[in-house]
Amino acid sequence: MTLGSQNLTRLDQLFYSMRDANACFLGYPFAKDFNYEPLWRFLKFTGNNLGDPFEPGTYRVNSHAFECEVVEFFAQLFRAPDDGFWGYITNGGTEGNIYGLYLGRELYPDGVAYFSRDSHYSVSKAARLLRLEHAVVDSQSHGEINYDDLARKASNERNRPALIVANIGTTMKEGRDDTSKIRAVLRDVGVRESYVHADAALCGPYAPFLNPKPSFDFEDGADSVTISGHKFLGAPMPCGVVLARKSNVRRVMRAIDYIGSLDTTLSGSRNAYSPIVLWYAIRCLGIAGIKRMFDQCEQLAAYTADELNDRGVDAWRNPHALTVVLPPVEEGVKAKWQIATQDVSHVVVTPGTTKQQLDALIEAIANSGR
Ligand SMILES: Cc1ncc(COP(=O)(O)O)c(C=O)c1O
């Protein structure tokens, strides 16, 4: 394949435009600092992880072995039952949320889904896709679900199973729902059967190390947990991990002759490169590296909130959050720094975010009309 000079120029222009945009985004929770150059050689293959990563299959140009290691790493981190978990590498948090609710619906076809107003839009999309009757629960001002409203809504349907999506880091405020409290609320109002899916898109890799540890993992009552790989850990393409109880996955499993494997995943053909990227990240970092990266980010997040407060901007963050919440920023600031904005704006201090970038943003916000 060769490219004509005109198209080569266009390709160069695209590269420079992505490079420049990459240097000034602060409003999305994507890591900026990674180097996967040793993995570029894998781009020569039509890698495809189709089928169940834990099962042999006919097509062998895959990275299943590494995918399983990544899944096992997170299973341990999220205190999954030793022989009772299963998981795979997804295209991102959205797929993980759809998968979690899918397993929940297959377990309880007449269940009602509950999730808070602050949930990522992929959650209501999953509920619509799966044709799940659902109730949107109020949130507290810091983003965590309102347990009283959950109790009210679940009590109205106490004779039906509940399918809950708990946010372990809401999209805008990094508010964290408590899966143990959710379980207790459901019990108290008389809901006898429930499935809890934890959406830990951003916080998953560091939540186990926070003190106090958020209540979100398998031992805390979750039946499935998902994270995004490109958020805290960092990846050049969207990816994620979903973990679930094996007994629930068996319910959706089908043997497929065409692939000589089991069909347990949402997508058929799946990225073989992202498991290698995530494997490389966790092996390079280890637990100590993840903790170190989190500490650096948290210090910068605290600095950002303090500096904005000093300049009269009402910025705040949840305990141990990397997300600094602030009043909606002015259009020019939003466009230049790619600041996600709804009723509030936010800055997310991810690995690779520099003090220089944050200082430039702080000045821009302080000097803007707001
Ligand atoms: C809490 C939460 N869940 C899910 C998602 C969706 O993740 P992805 O973009 O990886 O599909 C996001 C994305 O921002 C999120 O913040």
Side-chain angles (χ1 to χ4, degrees):
M1 283 198 287
T2 19
L3 208 56
S5 66
Q6 223 179 349
N7 284 323
L8 202 51
T9 306
R10 288 199 55 212
L11 199 60
D12 286 344
Q13 284 166 344
L14 176 65
F15 176 81
Y16 295 128
S17 121
M18 286 177 73
R19 185 197 58 187
D20 293 348
N22 193 52
C24 55
F25 81 83
L26 289 173
Y28 289 86
F30 310 147
K32 305 166 178 70
D33 181 23
F34 48 77
N35 180 356
Y36 294 113
E37 271 177 51
L39 307 183
W40 288 359
R41 59 193 160 142
F42 288 95
L43 289 177
K44 286 178 189 287
F45 309 127
T46 309
N48 192 327
N49 276 17
L50 48 84
D52 185 316
F54 290 90
E55 296 291 328
T58 310
Y59 191 71
R60 285 184 291 103
V61 191
N62 67 41
S63 61
H64 278 167
F66 281 46
E67 181 173 11
C68 292
E69 285 190 34
V70 174
V71 168
E72 280 154 7
F73 176 84
F74 284 103
Q76 212 171 14
L77 227 51
F78 300 159
R79 302 191 298 172
D82 275 349
D83 273 333
F85 71 86
W86 183 87
Y88 77 97
I89 294 190
T90 60
N91 278 322
T94 297
E95 185 178 340
N97 284 340
I98 296 172
Y99 195 75
L101 275 178
Y102 171 48
L103 293 185
R105 192 203 62 182
E106 291 300 286
L107 180 62
Y108 297 125
D110 62 336
V112 180
Y114 302 91
F115 48 86
S116 89
R117 200 170 289 299
D118 279 35
S119 302
H120 185 257
Y121 65 90
S122 59
V123 177
S124 58
K125 176 160 59 184
R128 288 196 309 278
L129 266 174
L130 294 163
R131 290 189 181 277
L132 276 171
E133 203 178 308
H134 58 277
V136 179
V137 179
D138 287 344
S139 305
Q140 304 176 53
S141 58
H142 62 287
E144 184 175 357
I145 195 167
N146 179 327
Y147 300 96
D148 294 336
D149 194 45
L150 173 63
R152 261 189 305 276
K153 288 183 168 138
S155 164
N156 292 338
E157 298 286 354
R158 66 165 65 82
N159 295 321
R160 295 173 66 186
L163 312 178
I164 310 277
V165 177
N167 293 304
I168 319 305
T170 56
T171 304
M172 287 306 291
K173 299 176 179 168
E174 208 177 319
R176 295 169 193 143
D177 304 343
D178 182 313
T179 51
S180 309
K181 264 195 207 167
I182 286 173
R183 288 268 184 212
V185 165
L186 295 176
R187 223 176 13 249
D188 290 350
V189 300
V191 172
R192 285 182 308 279
E193 296 172 311
S194 55
Y195 180 100
V196 177
H197 170 73
D199 176 3
L202 167 66
C203 304
Y206 57 83
F209 312 116
L210 299 182
N211 188 11
K213 184 188 87 59
S215 173
F216 80 102
D217 64 20
F218 286 87
E219 287 195 14
D220 296 321
D223 294 300
S224 46
V225 182
T226 183
I227 66 159
S228 291
H230 56 287
K231 292 201 165 105
F232 184 75
L233 291 176
M237 76 289 289
C239 56
V241 183
V242 67
L243 287 153
R245 295 185 192 277
K246 213 190 251 178
S247 52
N248 291 330
V249 175
R250 284 210 190 95
R251 199 167 287 106
V252 302
M253 178 190 283
R254 303 275 180 277
I256 307 292
D257 289 343
Y258 175 61
I259 58 172
S261 183
L262 296 174
D263 181 25
T264 35
T265 56
L266 273 193
S267 292
S269 287
R270 297 188 298 110
N271 194 328
Y273 192 69
S274 51
I276 311 174
V277 164
L278 292 182
W279 179 92
Y280 188 84
I282 60 176
R283 291 287 176 251
C284 287
L285 288 167
I287 302 288
I290 292 176
K291 287 182 182 168
R292 193 171 49 246
M293 235 163 51
F294 171 77
D295 287 342
Q296 286 164 356
C297 293
E298 198 195 1
Q299 275 169 26
L300 278 179
Y303 167 83
T304 304
D306 288 348
E307 291 292 315
L308 284 167
N309 290 160
D310 286 351
R311 288 163 177 74
V313 180
D314 185 16
W316 60 274
R317 65 191 182 101
N318 274 303
H320 300 306
L322 304 185
T323 305
V324 180
V325 186
L326 48 150
V329 294
E330 186 247 325
E331 278 304 317
V333 175
K334 173 180 166 184
K336 165 148 192 207
W337 293 98
Q338 304 165 67
I339 302 295
T341 301
Q342 295 179 178
D343 52 327
V344 291
S345 290
H346 73 189
V347 176
V348 191
V349 182
T350 51
T353 305
T354 63
K355 183 166 174 297
Q356 288 73 13
Q357 288 169 322
L358 293 167
D359 282 337
L361 175 70
I362 290 163
E363 285 315 315
I365 292 174
N367 295 329
S368 70
R370 279 186 272 135

mmCIF file of all heavy atoms in Angstrom, residues 17-34:
data_model
loop_
_atom_site.group_PDB
_atom_site.id
_atom_site.type_symbol
_atom_site.label_atom_id
_atom_site.label_comp_id
_atom_site.label_asym_id
_atom_site.label_seq_id
_atom_site.Cartn_x
_atom_site.Cartn_y
_atom_site.Cartn_z
ATOM 1 N N SER A 17 -2.855 17.610 14.281
ATOM 2 C CA SER A 17 -4.036 18.132 14.982
ATOM 3 C C SER A 17 -4.351 17.271 16.213
ATOM 4 O O SER A 17 -4.693 17.797 17.272
ATOM 5 C CB SER A 17 -5.206 18.254 13.999
ATOM 6 O OG SER A 17 -6.290 17.499 14.399
ATOM 7 N N MET A 18 -4.200 15.936 16.100
ATOM 8 C CA MET A 18 -4.431 15.084 17.276
ATOM 9 C C MET A 18 -3.357 15.326 18.337
ATOM 10 O O MET A 18 -3.634 15.343 19.533
ATOM 11 C CB MET A 18 -4.485 13.598 16.869
ATOM 12 C CG MET A 18 -5.783 13.240 16.161
ATOM 13 S SD MET A 18 -5.863 11.517 15.576
ATOM 14 C CE MET A 18 -6.088 10.607 17.092
ATOM 15 N N ARG A 19 -2.126 15.523 17.886
ATOM 16 C CA ARG A 19 -1.034 15.766 18.847
ATOM 17 C C ARG A 19 -1.299 17.058 19.626
ATOM 18 O O ARG A 19 -1.157 17.103 20.842
ATOM 19 C CB ARG A 19 0.289 15.873 18.083
ATOM 20 C CG ARG A 19 1.498 16.009 18.980
ATOM 21 C CD ARG A 19 2.704 16.526 18.225
ATOM 22 N NE ARG A 19 2.414 17.823 17.601
ATOM 23 C CZ ARG A 19 3.227 18.458 16.780
ATOM 24 N NH1 ARG A 19 4.376 17.921 16.447
ATOM 25 N NH2 ARG A 19 2.903 19.636 16.264
ATOM 26 N N ASP A 20 -1.744 18.108 18.895
ATOM 27 C CA ASP A 20 -1.981 19.388 19.570
ATOM 28 C C ASP A 20 -3.171 19.286 20.522
ATOM 29 O O ASP A 20 -3.133 19.810 21.638
ATOM 30 C CB ASP A 20 -2.225 20.504 18.538
ATOM 31 C CG ASP A 20 -0.958 20.767 17.735
ATOM 32 O OD1 ASP A 20 0.106 20.257 18.132
ATOM 33 O OD2 ASP A 20 -1.044 21.455 16.694
ATOM 34 N N ALA A 21 -4.215 18.589 20.085
ATOM 35 C CA ALA A 21 -5.396 18.441 20.951
ATOM 36 C C ALA A 21 -5.018 17.644 22.206
ATOM 37 O O ALA A 21 -5.487 17.922 23.313
ATOM 38 C CB ALA A 21 -6.526 17.745 20.195
ATOM 39 N N ASN A 22 -4.143 16.670 22.017
ATOM 40 C CA ASN A 22 -3.717 15.819 23.133
ATOM 41 C C ASN A 22 -2.969 16.626 24.202
ATOM 42 O O ASN A 22 -2.992 16.281 25.382
ATOM 43 C CB ASN A 22 -2.815 14.705 22.586
ATOM 44 C CG ASN A 22 -2.596 13.601 23.601
ATOM 45 O OD1 ASN A 22 -3.547 13.067 24.140
ATOM 46 N ND2 ASN A 22 -1.347 13.300 23.871
ATOM 47 N N ALA A 23 -2.338 17.719 23.752
ATOM 48 C CA ALA A 23 -1.555 18.522 24.694
ATOM 49 C C ALA A 23 -2.446 19.410 25.565
ATOM 50 O O ALA A 23 -2.000 19.971 26.556
ATOM 51 C CB ALA A 23 -0.550 19.377 23.934
ATOM 52 N N CYS A 24 -3.712 19.559 25.178
ATOM 53 C CA CYS A 24 -4.560 20.440 26.000
ATOM 54 C C CYS A 24 -5.968 19.881 26.168
ATOM 55 O O CYS A 24 -6.930 20.537 25.838
ATOM 56 C CB CYS A 24 -4.570 21.874 25.482
ATOM 57 S SG CYS A 24 -5.035 22.045 23.788
ATOM 58 N N PHE A 25 -6.031 18.660 26.700
ATOM 59 C CA PHE A 25 -7.350 18.234 27.191
ATOM 60 C C PHE A 25 -7.228 17.934 28.673
ATOM 61 O O PHE A 25 -6.293 17.278 29.113
ATOM 62 C CB PHE A 25 -7.920 17.046 26.385
ATOM 63 C CG PHE A 25 -7.409 15.684 26.763
ATOM 64 C CD1 PHE A 25 -7.972 14.994 27.825
ATOM 65 C CD2 PHE A 25 -6.387 15.076 26.043
ATOM 66 C CE1 PHE A 25 -7.510 13.735 28.169
ATOM 67 C CE2 PHE A 25 -5.923 13.823 26.385
ATOM 68 C CZ PHE A 25 -6.485 13.149 27.450
ATOM 69 N N LEU A 26 -8.158 18.498 29.409
ATOM 70 C CA LEU A 26 -8.129 18.320 30.867
ATOM 71 C C LEU A 26 -9.497 17.927 31.417
ATOM 72 O O LEU A 26 -9.647 17.737 32.608
ATOM 73 C CB LEU A 26 -7.668 19.617 31.544
ATOM 74 C CG LEU A 26 -6.185 19.973 31.361
ATOM 75 C CD1 LEU A 26 -5.881 21.361 31.920
ATOM 76 C CD2 LEU A 26 -5.281 18.930 32.030
ATOM 77 N N GLY A 27 -10.479 17.800 30.535
ATOM 78 C CA GLY A 27 -11.837 17.590 31.026
ATOM 79 C C GLY A 27 -12.361 16.184 30.829
ATOM 80 O O GLY A 27 -13.532 15.918 31.071
ATOM 81 N N TYR A 28 -11.512 15.260 30.384
ATOM 82 C CA TYR A 28 -11.945 13.868 30.218
ATOM 83 C C TYR A 28 -10.964 12.970 30.972
ATOM 84 O O TYR A 28 -9.768 13.269 31.013
ATOM 85 C CB TYR A 28 -12.048 13.505 28.723
ATOM 86 C CG TYR A 28 -13.231 14.200 28.112
ATOM 87 C CD1 TYR A 28 -13.120 15.497 27.617
ATOM 88 C CD2 TYR A 28 -14.487 13.604 28.115
ATOM 89 C CE1 TYR A 28 -14.218 16.184 27.130
ATOM 90 C CE2 TYR A 28 -15.595 14.274 27.630
ATOM 91 C CZ TYR A 28 -15.453 15.559 27.131
ATOM 92 O OH TYR A 28 -16.555 16.226 26.679
ATOM 93 N N PRO A 29 -11.481 11.872 31.512
ATOM 94 C CA PRO A 29 -10.629 11.081 32.419
ATOM 95 C C PRO A 29 -9.718 10.091 31.695
ATOM 96 O O PRO A 29 -9.701 8.913 32.004
ATOM 97 C CB PRO A 29 -11.676 10.341 33.275
ATOM 98 C CG PRO A 29 -12.826 10.145 32.350
ATOM 99 C CD PRO A 29 -12.848 11.338 31.440
ATOM 100 N N PHE A 30 -8.995 10.582 30.705
ATOM 101 C CA PHE A 30 -8.132 9.690 29.932
ATOM 102 C C PHE A 30 -6.667 9.981 30.255
ATOM 103 O O PHE A 30 -6.240 11.140 30.190
ATOM 104 C CB PHE A 30 -8.335 9.888 28.423
ATOM 105 C CG PHE A 30 -9.782 9.857 27.979
ATOM 106 C CD1 PHE A 30 -10.197 10.647 26.917
ATOM 107 C CD2 PHE A 30 -10.712 9.045 28.609
ATOM 108 C CE1 PHE A 30 -11.519 10.625 26.491
ATOM 109 C CE2 PHE A 30 -12.045 9.016 28.203
ATOM 110 C CZ PHE A 30 -12.448 9.816 27.138
ATOM 111 N N ALA A 31 -5.902 8.912 30.547
ATOM 112 C CA ALA A 31 -4.482 9.103 30.835
ATOM 113 C C ALA A 31 -3.766 9.648 29.602
ATOM 114 O O ALA A 31 -4.148 9.376 28.471
ATOM 115 C CB ALA A 31 -3.864 7.777 31.250
ATOM 116 N N LYS A 32 -2.723 10.444 29.875
ATOM 117 C CA LYS A 32 -2.000 11.063 28.765
ATOM 118 C C LYS A 32 -0.585 10.529 28.665
ATOM 119 O O LYS A 32 0.129 10.815 27.716
ATOM 120 C CB LYS A 32 -1.925 12.576 28.980
ATOM 121 C CG LYS A 32 -3.264 13.229 29.181
ATOM 122 C CD LYS A 32 -3.058 14.644 29.727
ATOM 123 C CE LYS A 32 -4.370 15.371 29.901
ATOM 124 N NZ LYS A 32 -5.174 14.804 31.022
ATOM 125 N N ASP A 33 -0.187 9.780 29.681
ATOM 126 C CA ASP A 33 1.227 9.476 29.800
ATOM 127 C C ASP A 33 1.457 7.971 29.685
ATOM 128 O O ASP A 33 1.355 7.254 30.667
ATOM 129 C CB ASP A 33 1.679 9.955 31.201
ATOM 130 C CG ASP A 33 3.148 9.699 31.414
ATOM 131 O OD1 ASP A 33 3.880 9.584 30.421
ATOM 132 O OD2 ASP A 33 3.566 9.597 32.588
ATOM 133 N N PHE A 34 1.713 7.491 28.501
ATOM 134 C CA PHE A 34 2.038 6.071 28.372
ATOM 135 C C PHE A 34 2.946 5.900 27.170
ATOM 136 O O PHE A 34 2.987 6.750 26.277
ATOM 137 C CB PHE A 34 0.770 5.215 28.245
ATOM 138 C CG PHE A 34 -0.230 5.717 27.241
ATOM 139 C CD1 PHE A 34 -0.040 5.531 25.885
ATOM 140 C CD2 PHE A 34 -1.373 6.389 27.665
ATOM 141 C CE1 PHE A 34 -0.966 5.983 24.961
ATOM 142 C CE2 PHE A 34 -2.306 6.851 26.746
ATOM 143 C CZ PHE A 34 -2.091 6.651 25.395
#
